[in-house]
Amino acid sequence: MQYDVKTPDEYMDKLDPDWRRRTLEELRALIKSAAPRLEEGINYKMLSYSDARGAVFHLNAQKSYVSLYVGDADKIDTDGTLLAGLSVGKGCIRFSKSVNPADTGIAAFIERTVALRDQGEDIGC
């Protein structure tokens, strides 16, 4: 869902206190831990995490899942082990109600994304 908000706090305040909010908060904490230098903001009506070169991650709560957007997941997880068991599109990782991020490889994926970005690797679409 898209919310017409200006700040990350406003975005979070719009969410219902359900599994989507908990999942989004967990992913948000993983990103902030792995890349504290990234600036959290709102871009495309979603939470975004960016630096001077542009956005690295976007987070959005949909009706049936929470989305973590990255450039090209295959460039980051080349053998598919970090995202095994998750619903993955080219640049989107979807977390449904039944998926607990802590039980997946998403923390390692986020850390790898940040490391590749810091090395100047192309992780975009």
Side-chain angles (χ1 to χ4, degrees):
M1 295 183 280
Q2 294 185 341
Y3 301 106
D4 193 20
V5 296
K6 304 262 188 263
T7 69
D9 287 338
E10 287 178 19
Y11 184 94
M12 296 305 292
D13 288 344
K14 292 278 187 181
L15 296 175
D16 291 331
D18 62 7
W19 69 271
R20 291 173 305 137
R21 182 184 181 109
R22 288 187 302 276
T23 300
L24 203 133
E25 286 174 339
E26 188 170 345
L27 293 170
R28 187 180 184 205
L30 290 172
I31 292 169
K32 287 180 175 186
S33 174
R37 64 177 175 69
L38 293 179
E39 183 177 334
E40 184 180 51
I42 300 293
N43 190 18
Y44 300 112
K45 298 186 179 185
M46 303 182 250
L47 292 174
S48 70
Y49 301 85
S50 59
D51 59 17
R53 293 184 291 163
V56 181
F57 302 105
H58 285 89
L59 281 174
N60 196 29
Q62 305 288 346
K63 183 177 180 180
S64 302
Y65 53 87
V66 170
S67 299
L68 171 64
Y69 296 95
V70 297
D72 184 343
D74 289 337
K75 289 181 179 179
I76 300 160
D77 186 17
T78 56
D79 63 3
T81 57
L82 298 176
L83 300 177
L86 292 172
S87 173
V88 180
K90 182 174 182 178
C92 176
I93 303 156
R94 294 172 288 273
F95 294 84
S96 63
K97 185 177 185 176
S98 63
V99 176
N100 180 354
D103 296 336
T104 71
I106 198 62
F109 177 86
I110 289 169
E111 290 171 6
R112 178 149 173 76
T113 303
V114 172
L116 289 171
R117 171 77 172 211
D118 289 347
Q119 295 167 13
E121 296 289 328
D122 173 23
I123 58 172
C125 294

